[in-house]
């Protein structure tokens, strides 16, 4: 039961932290109301989790060659929860998946558990590459959307309507893509124990793969519903002002990157084309959103970028994983 | 949530702009009738202008309410609302001018008629250009800037005519000071239409350049 409680806490934190990423730019640019966004978010995040979460989840079992006992998993989760709550307190979006991997890393070192260092290196490469890719793609999409608008000579209200519809459609797609990614981040660590039987009082809970992903994503939705409204309203405004066309390009960038790293079908297709091998892995939606916003801000030569907050976020990309690693290591030493 | 209001709004805005053009044309007719001393006709046209002005107010309020209620065009809302509110000052000014002619019946001598009509033509041209620019604001901002820049040029011509008119009025030795001041007032209120158009055009240029 303790495991379920940890998943619930983590899912709610993730929902509050990352839920805003999907419709945040649409809400922040005042194109969509929060109450409508949250309904779509619930539906599509659950669908995404059930259909695709198993692929990026597999990373956790691959990373640790000797997977720890289920009772030790909380030692990995606890540092993540603590650091994420601290980062939320400072209003800095953090990456749960990265924190988890670094917590596993700390746990493995202190407990002398073998882990796949090559896979860790590969994950780090992709974590560095995805924000750069997001930065470039958001510029490309913003440019393309503007070209399309100019080509069709739409009036302001037609553009507004088309963008509004696109933000809802792509927002649903992004929620679907994020569903697999976020759920993999929070329940993926339990994926090696699927078909788990948990006894609580005299009740026996059988946790199957679908149930695990369903409840994981459901609590992400609840976290978003309860805590993400303020974050969603201010997505972008803390870094740079977002206009509707920019919001749409950020969303399309998110979808493409998230799907490329969560759908096995897309990964197989990309692996047959690209000179390197990609893998299904949990990514940071916050990092992708942030990099996309900076990409859009480049159109105005970064004039609207709030430097202090931007530097704080970029620093947190390094500080958070390091802090999680050391917290996990410390917990291992003091035998929590 | 996703109702398409664009047709309805664009139609309303077009009616609003058409009404301003109609008022613009009606004022020229009013002036011609006034110089021909057809005061009954002047009274009728003044009422028509008033009706159209009220309709403009109503349309502007509806459009503004809809844009805010449905949170439409969030990034351009302020500019569009500013444009409509400033445009709405023009029919208001023309209506006031029409009422002034209708009630005060200034004593305009025949030699001033042609200059008064010229001033009216320049003010009218300013409005026509501004309306074209305003229509383009929703589709092509380059055209808006182009048309609005032309407004300034025509407004300068209106200013010139207005100065000429004042010179003629005050160099007249037959009229008393009261008549001269009264006539000057009419020159100024007619020139004010061109000035207002220029102000709106300037704001539109800024909005178009910004976006």
């Amino acid at each position: 039961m303790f495991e379920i409680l940890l998943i619930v806490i983590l899912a709610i934190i993730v929902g509050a932290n990352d839920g805003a990423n999907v419709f945040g730019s649409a809400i922040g640019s005042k194109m969509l109301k929060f109450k409508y966004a949250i309904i779509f978010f619930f539906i599509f995040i659950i669908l995404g989790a059930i259909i695709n979460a198993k692929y990026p989840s597999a990373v956790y079992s691959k990373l640790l060659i000797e997977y720890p006992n289920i009772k030790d998993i909380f030692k990995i989760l606890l540092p993540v929860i603590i650091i994420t709550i601290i980062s939320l307190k400072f209003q800095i979006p953090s990456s749960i998946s990265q924190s988890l991997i670094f917590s596993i890393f700390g746990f493995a070192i202190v407990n002398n558990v073998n882990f796949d260092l090559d896979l860790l290196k590969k994950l780090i490469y992709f974590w560095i590459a995805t924000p750069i890719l997001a930065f470039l793609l958001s510029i490309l999409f913003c440019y393309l959307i503007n070209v399309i608008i100019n080509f069709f000579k739409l009036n302001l209200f037609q553009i507004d309507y088309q963008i509004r519809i696109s933000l809802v459609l792509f927002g649903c797609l992004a929620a679907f893509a994020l569903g697999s990614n976020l759920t993999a981040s929070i329940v993926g660590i339990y994926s090696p124990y699927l078909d788990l039987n948990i006894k609580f009082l005299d009740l026996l809970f059988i946790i199957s793969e679908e149930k695990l992903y369903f409840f994981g994503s459901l609590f992400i939705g609840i976290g978003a519903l309860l805590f993400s409204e303020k974050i969603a309203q201010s997505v972008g405004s803390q870094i740079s002002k977002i206009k509707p066309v920019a919001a749409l390009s950020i969303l399309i960038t998110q979808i493409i990157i998230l799907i490329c790293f969560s759908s096995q079908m897309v990964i197989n297709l990309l692996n047959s084309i690209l000179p390197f091998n990609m893998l299904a892995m949990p990514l940071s939606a916050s990092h992708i959103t942030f990099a996309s916003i900076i990409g859009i801000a480049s159109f105005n030569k970064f004039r609207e970028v709030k430097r202090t907050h931007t530097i704080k976020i970029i620093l947190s990309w390094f500080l958070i994983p390091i802090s999680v690693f050391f917290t996990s290591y410390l917990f291992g030493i003091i035998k929590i | 949530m996703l109702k398409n209001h664009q047709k309805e709004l664009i139609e309303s805005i077009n009616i609003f702009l058409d009404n301003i053009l109609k008022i613009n044309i009606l004022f020229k007719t009013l002036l011609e009738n006034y110089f021909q001393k057809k005061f009954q006709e002047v009274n009728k046209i003044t009422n028509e202008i008033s009706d159209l002005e009220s309709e403009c107010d109503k349309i502007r309020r509806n459009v503004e309410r809809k844009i805010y209620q449905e949170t439409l065009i969030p990034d351009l809302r302020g500019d569009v609302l500013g444009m409509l509110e400033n445009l709405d000052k023009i029919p208001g000014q023309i209506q006031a001018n029409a009422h002034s002619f209708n009630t005060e019946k200034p004593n305009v001598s025949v030699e001033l008629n042609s200059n008064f009509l010229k001033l009216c033509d320049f003010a009218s041209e300013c409005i026509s250009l501004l309306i074209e620019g305003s229509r383009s604001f929703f589709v092509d901002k380059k055209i808006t800037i182009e048309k609005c820049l032309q407004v300034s040029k025509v407004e300068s011509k209106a200013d010139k005519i207005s100065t000429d008119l004042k010179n003629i009025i005050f160099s007249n030795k037959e009229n008393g000071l009261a008549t001269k001041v009264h006539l000057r007032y009419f020159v100024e209120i007619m020139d004010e239409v061109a000035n207002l158009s220029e102000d709106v055009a300037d704001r539109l240029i800024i909005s178009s350049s910004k976006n």
Side-chain angles (χ1 to χ4, degrees):
Chain A
M1 198 60 201
F2 181 63
E3 289 80 18
I4 295 200
L5 190 69
L6 278 178
I7 290 178
V8 169
I9 294 172
L10 204 59
I12 289 176
I13 292 173
V14 167
N17 185 44
D18 288 50
N21 287 322
V22 179
F23 288 104
S25 39
I27 296 168
S29 62
K30 296 186 171 54
M31 293 295 277
L32 191 62
K33 285 180 182 162
F34 181 78
K35 62 178 177 182
Y36 297 119
I38 205 73
I39 296 168
F40 292 119
F41 185 73
F42 259 104
I43 298 168
F44 285 91
I45 202 154
I46 291 172
L47 279 176
I50 293 172
I51 296 168
N52 273 340
K54 54 181 175 279
Y55 303 116
S57 287
V59 163
Y60 297 101
S61 51
K62 282 181 200 159
L63 194 66
L64 285 177
I65 294 161
E66 301 157 40
Y67 212 76
N69 189 297
I70 188 165
K71 291 207 163 59
D72 287 332
I73 292 292
F74 87 95
K75 291 179 187 171
I76 296 171
L77 288 181
L78 209 56
V80 178
I81 294 174
I82 292 169
I83 299 295
T84 309
I85 289 174
I86 293 171
S87 69
L88 275 179
K89 191 92 186 148
F90 285 102
Q91 289 185 316
I92 295 169
S94 65
S95 164
I96 304 290
S97 50
Q98 284 180 13
S99 298
L100 266 171
I101 303 280
F102 277 89
S103 188
I104 291 173
F105 186 35
F107 173 87
I109 286 180
V110 81
N111 292 296
N112 285 322
V113 177
N114 282 335
F115 64 93
D116 189 340
L117 192 64
D118 286 338
L119 180 60
L120 181 68
K121 278 184 194 165
K122 215 169 179 183
L123 292 177
I124 293 172
Y125 289 149
F126 282 122
W127 283 335
I128 295 169
T130 44
I132 299 169
L133 190 66
F135 176 87
L136 298 172
L137 281 180
S138 63
I139 295 173
L140 175 75
F141 288 126
C142 198
Y143 177 75
L144 281 179
I145 294 168
N146 278 321
V147 167
I148 293 168
I149 288 171
N150 289 335
F151 179 78
F152 285 104
K153 293 250 172 237
L154 301 173
N155 69 48
L156 284 186
F157 297 103
Q158 282 171 321
I159 296 169
D160 182 81
Y161 182 66
Q162 304 300 339
I163 291 180
R164 215 171 277 267
I165 287 206
S166 307
L167 280 173
V168 172
L169 289 176
F170 287 115
C172 293
L173 256 178
F176 180 84
L178 203 68
S180 57
N181 207 281
L182 287 183
T183 316
S185 297
I186 55 153
V187 299
I189 200 155
Y190 285 101
S191 58
Y193 312 108
L194 287 173
D195 295 324
L196 195 71
N197 297 339
I198 294 170
K199 271 190 177 174
F200 178 66
L201 299 173
D202 281 334
L203 299 167
L204 179 69
F205 293 95
I206 300 163
I207 308 290
S208 66
E209 193 176 23
E210 278 77 22
K211 275 186 197 165
L212 188 70
Y213 295 136
F214 173 77
F215 284 109
S217 53
L218 182 73
F219 282 103
I220 291 173
I222 292 171
L225 173 70
L226 297 176
F227 305 109
S228 75
E229 189 172 359
K230 268 193 181 168
I231 305 174
Q233 305 282 10
S234 68
V235 161
S237 60
Q238 286 181 328
I239 308 159
S240 176
K241 210 176 166 192
I242 296 181
K243 286 181 179 173
V245 171
L248 187 59
S249 20
I250 291 168
L251 206 55
I252 298 173
T253 305
Q254 267 184 4
I255 296 164
I256 290 187
I257 296 179
L258 290 176
I259 286 184
C260 283
F261 285 90
S262 61
S263 165
Q264 200 55 52
M265 198 178 76
V266 178
I267 291 169
N268 291 340
L269 184 77
L270 287 171
N271 283 344
S272 64
I273 305 164
L274 295 169
F276 54 87
N277 267 350
M278 285 176 61
L279 75 155
M281 57 182 273
L283 289 174
S284 169
S286 316
H287 294 185
I288 296 169
T289 309
F290 172 83
S292 308
I293 293 171
I294 298 292
I296 300 295
S298 71
F299 276 97
N300 290 331
K301 294 178 185 159
F302 305 103
R303 274 195 293 267
E304 287 180 9
V305 170
K306 292 176 183 167
R307 284 171 199 273
T308 329
H309 199 75
T310 306
I311 293 168
K312 212 161 82 176
I313 290 178
I314 294 174
L315 278 177
S316 77
W317 290 3
F318 301 97
L319 284 177
I320 290 174
I322 293 168
S323 312
V324 172
F325 172 79
F326 281 112
T327 317
S328 175
Y329 189 83
L330 205 71
F331 282 3
I333 290 173
I334 57 174
K335 302 263 180 240
I336 278 188
Chain B
M1 177 187 58
L2 287 173
K3 198 179 162 208
N4 193 352
H5 295 279
Q6 68 94 7
K7 265 189 193 166
E8 193 185 330
L9 278 169
I10 282 289
E11 260 172 36
S12 300
I13 291 170
N14 277 331
I15 295 171
F16 173 79
L17 297 175
D18 289 342
N19 281 352
I20 297 177
L21 282 179
K22 276 184 204 163
I23 291 172
N24 188 23
I25 295 164
L26 278 174
F27 186 73
K28 175 85 191 288
T29 320
L30 178 142
L31 212 60
E32 284 164 351
N33 279 295
Y34 183 82
F35 293 146
Q36 290 163 19
K37 311 235 181 277
K38 293 177 182 168
F39 296 123
Q40 260 191 336
E41 198 61 27
V42 169
N43 188 44
K44 200 183 128 202
I45 295 170
T46 305
N47 291 336
E48 276 178 51
I49 289 176
S50 287
D51 291 344
L52 283 170
E53 200 274 338
S54 308
E55 206 185 314
C56 277
D57 280 342
K58 216 188 280 174
I59 295 170
R60 175 183 60 79
R61 283 196 199 98
N62 275 337
V63 170
E64 285 180 350
R65 204 181 55 233
K66 192 141 276 172
I67 290 177
Y68 263 95
Q69 266 177 354
E70 306 293 332
T71 61
L72 301 173
I73 47 168
D75 55 331
L76 294 167
R77 200 186 298 163
D79 293 317
V80 171
L81 261 46
M83 180 184 91
L84 294 177
E85 269 163 25
N86 286 322
L87 276 173
D88 198 29
K89 287 177 189 164
I90 295 170
Q93 180 66 44
I94 298 177
Q95 184 202 24
N97 293 357
H99 276 291
S100 296
F101 270 101
N102 192 29
T103 52
E104 297 179 29
K105 298 201 172 52
N107 186 16
V108 185
S109 51
V110 185
E111 70 265 22
L112 292 176
N113 286 2
S114 64
N115 272 345
F116 261 103
L117 284 172
K118 259 189 208 167
L119 181 59
C120 179
D121 282 339
F122 284 130
S124 172
E125 198 181 335
C126 284
I127 295 171
S128 304
L129 285 166
L130 179 66
I131 298 297
E132 280 179 56
S134 304
R135 270 193 232 276
S136 309
F137 184 76
F138 296 93
V139 189
D140 190 341
K141 296 196 175 73
K142 275 182 197 161
I143 299 175
T144 306
I145 295 173
E146 210 175 280
K147 297 285 174 192
C148 288
L149 286 172
Q150 287 177 30
V151 173
S152 291
K153 284 178 193 164
V154 179
E155 195 272 343
S156 304
K157 288 180 190 168
D159 275 346
K160 203 175 165 291
I161 294 287
S162 141
T163 314
D164 290 348
L165 262 171
K166 282 179 198 167
N167 280 334
I168 300 169
I169 290 166
F170 282 95
S171 60
N172 186 310
K173 283 174 185 150
E174 283 169 23
N175 288 335
L177 187 62
T179 312
K180 287 176 184 175
V181 172
H182 196 213
L183 286 171
R184 185 198 63 187
Y185 165 74
F186 277 88
V187 174
E188 280 175 354
I189 60 169
M190 280 180 66
D191 191 30
E192 186 57 24
V193 175
N195 291 338
L196 269 176
S197 305
E198 193 190 28
D199 291 345
V200 183
D202 287 344
R203 296 273 311 257
L204 260 180
I205 291 173
I206 293 168
S207 300
S208 306
S209 314
K210 187 179 81 182
N211 297 303

